[in-house]
Amino acid sequence: DEFLRNQVSSDHTCHAKLYRYKNMLNHLHEDVNLVYSKEKALVETITIEEAVISDLETQIRNLVEDGKRKMKECKDAKAAACAQFETYSKELEELKQIGHSPTNP
C-alpha cells in the first residue's frame, strides 16, 4: 500500500513496477474468485448430499416401521393359527373317542 501511495504521489513513478503489481493483484483477485466459486459449489454439493441422506434416513425409518408392523401381523397370524390348530386337535380327539366308544361297535 505504501509503495503504491508513493508511486502515485511521486514524479518518479516506475510504470513497470505499477503494471507488475497491478497484474499480481489481478491474478490474486482471480484466485480469490476461483476459490469462492469452488467453495460455493462444495456448499451446494453438501446441501444436496444432506438432503439425500435425510431422504434415505426417512426411507430406512419407514422400512423399519413397516417391518415391525409386518412382524406383529405375522405373530398375530401365528397365534391365531396355533389356536385353530389346538381347537381342531381337540375336535379330532373327540371324534376319535366317539369312533372308539363301547356303545359303537
Side-chain angles (χ1 to χ4, degrees), residues 4 17-35:
L4 291 176
K17 282 185 178 179
L18 282 174
Y19 182 74
R20 189 173 79 213
Y21 286 122
K22 178 185 176 280
N23 283 338
M24 287 171 56
L25 285 173
N26 286 340
H27 287 294
L28 183 59
H29 186 257
E30 289 172 5
D31 289 346
V32 168
N33 284 337
L34 180 64
V35 168

Side-chain angles (χ1 to χ4, degrees), residues 1-10 13-21:
D1 287 341
E2 184 179 332
F3 172 77
L4 291 176
R5 277 193 300 271
N6 290 338
Q7 289 296 310
V8 171
S9 65
S10 171
T13 60
C14 178
H15 297 290
K17 282 185 178 179
L18 282 174
Y19 182 74
R20 189 173 79 213
Y21 286 122

Side-chain angles (χ1 to χ4, degrees), residues 8-98:
V8 171
S9 65
S10 171
D11 290 335
H12 305 290
T13 60
C14 178
H15 297 290
K17 282 185 178 179
L18 282 174
Y19 182 74
R20 189 173 79 213
Y21 286 122
K22 178 185 176 280
N23 283 338
M24 287 171 56
L25 285 173
N26 286 340
H27 287 294
L28 183 59
H29 186 257
E30 289 172 5
D31 289 346
V32 168
N33 284 337
L34 180 64
V35 168
Y36 175 75
S37 297
K38 287 180 180 180
E39 186 268 341
K40 187 176 177 183
L42 286 173
V43 167
E44 289 176 8
T45 301
I46 289 170
T47 303
I48 291 168
E49 292 299 325
E50 286 175 340
V52 169
I53 289 170
S54 176
D55 184 52
L56 289 174
E57 287 173 341
T58 301
Q59 288 179 20
I60 290 170
R61 198 170 28 258
N62 291 341
L63 288 171
V64 167
E65 290 172 7
D66 192 42
K68 287 179 182 179
R69 182 184 53 79
K70 287 181 179 181
M71 287 296 288
K72 185 181 179 325
E73 289 174 3
C74 287
K75 185 178 178 182
D76 293 345
K78 179 182 175 184
C82 287
Q84 247 182 347
F85 176 77
E86 189 66 31
T87 302
Y88 292 146
S89 294
K90 288 178 183 178
E91 288 178 8
L92 179 62
E93 191 60 37
E94 287 177 20
L95 289 173
K96 285 182 181 177
Q97 288 176 0
I98 292 172

